[in-house]
Amino acid sequence: MSTPGDQPNPYAQPPSNPYGNVPAQQPGGQQPGQPAPHPYAYPPTPAGSQPGQSAAAHPTMPGGVPTQPPGQAPGPLGQPASPYPGQVAAGYGPGAPTPAAPASGSKKRGPLWALGGAVVASAVWAGVTFATGGFEGDPEPELGSYAYTGNLCDYTDYAPIKKAGFSKEESTGEKKNPLASGTEHEALDTMQCNTDLEAENTSSSDYASTWLSTSALLHRETDPEPEFEAQYRAYENQRGTTYTYKVAPVPNLGDEAYVVTQVEKDGEDDGSYVILGVRDGWMTYQLSWSNYISSSSSVTPPDSKKVTEMLSESAKSTMEHWQKQEPLPKDESE
């Protein structure tokens, strides 16, 4: 559309009227024999307009838009509302006339619809990216070659325990020893192996009770690292009637490991209760040792230092065989 004082654009197309070509009303009212003007036709060119000049500009839209029909509410952004539902007013939407070249000296602005489309596309892309974890997402579990097993006892190395003077009790018809169990779950795999042990050189008259309980967890959705140490440090604040606990790190075992030792209030550390916890990536492994031998027995129980060494050696060997998926033969594991 041209502006006053400029030459008309020879390539501009006149706007089309969706209601047909209606002759403009002549000054002075309707002429005899002429049909009444269409109520939604474009307004006539004001008297006195010079050739090449456009109609008066719309008060809110640059360049002017068609006059709104009487009694009808304007559309959004000052656009004329279509008199019929589902139709687009003249000059908007498909079939709209090609806009005239910008006037000389005017500031040229880029199409706002293109910018808006880019913003919308970026927002949609960002939403999809966040939803699929493209930016941050959930981290993949670091399990290495650890995999669920229904029998953790098959990978448990009992050789260090036998070396310390303990062996597995024989299974009976009513009691299976060792006893394995486990649960496979998409969020957390759980495995246990409980073993009843007996000290060597004990007689039937000796009162003795020794057991080893091991458990392994494969964390598939939550990284156990931030909370692992805290779980074992919590023992430092636990108190019994006659005992307390001390916690210490164990070097060169997995990514991190801690040993919890029960200590009598008189300072005696007989190794009667020891817990060893190991974390290797998102796998956690725990060995719990409980041992009681009567004072009348000729067997000297190992102290907490020896028990820690025994459990650490067994844990390291067990984890190695488990990662290789190589169950220990019965004669080598005992």
Side-chain angles (χ1 to χ4, degrees):
M1 182 178 294
S2 60
T3 58
D6 291 331
Q7 295 297 323
N9 189 343
Y11 304 104
Q13 300 177 5
S16 59
N17 192 333
Y19 309 107
N21 295 324
V22 180
Q25 184 178 359
Q26 299 298 323
Q30 180 180 350
Q31 299 297 326
Q34 293 182 348
H38 196 283
Y40 302 133
Y42 287 110
T45 303
S49 298
Q50 299 299 323
Q53 292 182 348
S54 61
H58 191 277
T60 58
M61 298 295 292
V65 295
T67 303
Q68 182 65 31
Q72 186 171 356
L77 300 180
Q79 300 176 5
S82 173
Y84 303 107
Q87 296 186 3
V88 182
Y92 301 90
T98 303
S104 176
S106 63
K107 292 184 179 180
K108 190 174 182 180
R109 297 183 179 180
L112 295 180
W113 63 266
L115 177 60
V119 172
V120 172
S122 300
V124 172
W125 171 82
V128 172
T129 305
F130 276 117
T132 56
F135 283 125
E136 186 67 25
D138 296 329
E140 291 294 327
E142 299 177 6
L143 295 175
S145 56
Y146 292 110
Y148 173 79
T149 175
N151 194 339
L152 186 61
C153 300
D154 288 345
Y155 298 94
T156 302
D157 190 356
Y158 293 95
I161 297 170
K162 184 177 181 180
K163 183 179 178 180
F166 296 85
S167 60
K168 292 185 291 185
E169 290 185 357
E170 296 292 333
S171 297
T172 64
E174 298 178 356
K175 181 180 180 181
K176 184 179 180 181
N177 186 54
L179 181 62
S181 61
T183 301
E184 190 173 10
H185 191 274
E186 60 182 5
L188 181 70
D189 291 346
T190 307
M191 295 148 277
Q192 298 91 20
C193 175
N194 297 322
T195 309
D196 288 331
L197 302 170
E198 59 183 1
E200 297 176 352
N201 303 322
T202 56
S203 63
S204 57
S205 59
D206 291 332
Y207 179 76
S209 177
T210 306
W211 56 268
L212 174 67
S213 176
T214 63
S215 63
L217 301 176
L218 298 182
H219 304 258
R220 299 189 176 277
E221 291 193 0
T222 305
D223 185 358
E225 179 182 4
E227 300 177 353
F228 184 74
E229 179 180 358
Q231 293 175 355
Y232 293 95
R233 290 294 182 185
Y235 279 95
E236 295 176 326
N237 294 325
Q238 295 187 25
R239 300 286 187 272
T241 304
T242 61
Y243 59 86
T244 58
Y245 294 99
K246 64 179 181 180
V247 181
V250 179
N252 305 320
L253 185 58
D255 289 332
E256 58 178 327
Y258 298 91
V259 60
V260 180
T261 305
Q262 180 176 296
V263 181
E264 298 297 325
K265 288 188 175 181
D266 58 5
E268 184 181 357
D269 182 6
D270 58 3
S272 60
Y273 189 66
V274 179
I275 299 175
L276 176 65
V278 185
R279 183 186 66 81
D280 193 13
W282 286 31
M283 186 281 295
T284 56
Y285 183 50
Q286 178 174 292
L287 303 89
S288 300
W289 169 270
S290 178
N291 177 45
Y292 174 81
I293 298 178
S294 63
S295 58
S296 61
S297 175
S298 58
V299 177
T300 302
D303 58 18
S304 61
K305 182 179 180 181
K306 291 183 179 179
V307 173
T308 300
E309 293 174 353
M310 173 186 66
L311 297 181
S312 299
E313 186 178 349
S314 175
K316 185 175 183 180
S317 177
T318 299
M319 291 162 58
E320 289 176 353
H321 284 88
W322 184 15
Q323 289 185 82
K324 295 178 182 179
Q325 300 299 309
E326 295 178 355
L328 288 165
K330 297 297 181 181
D331 57 345
E332 292 185 12
S333 63
E334 299 183 1

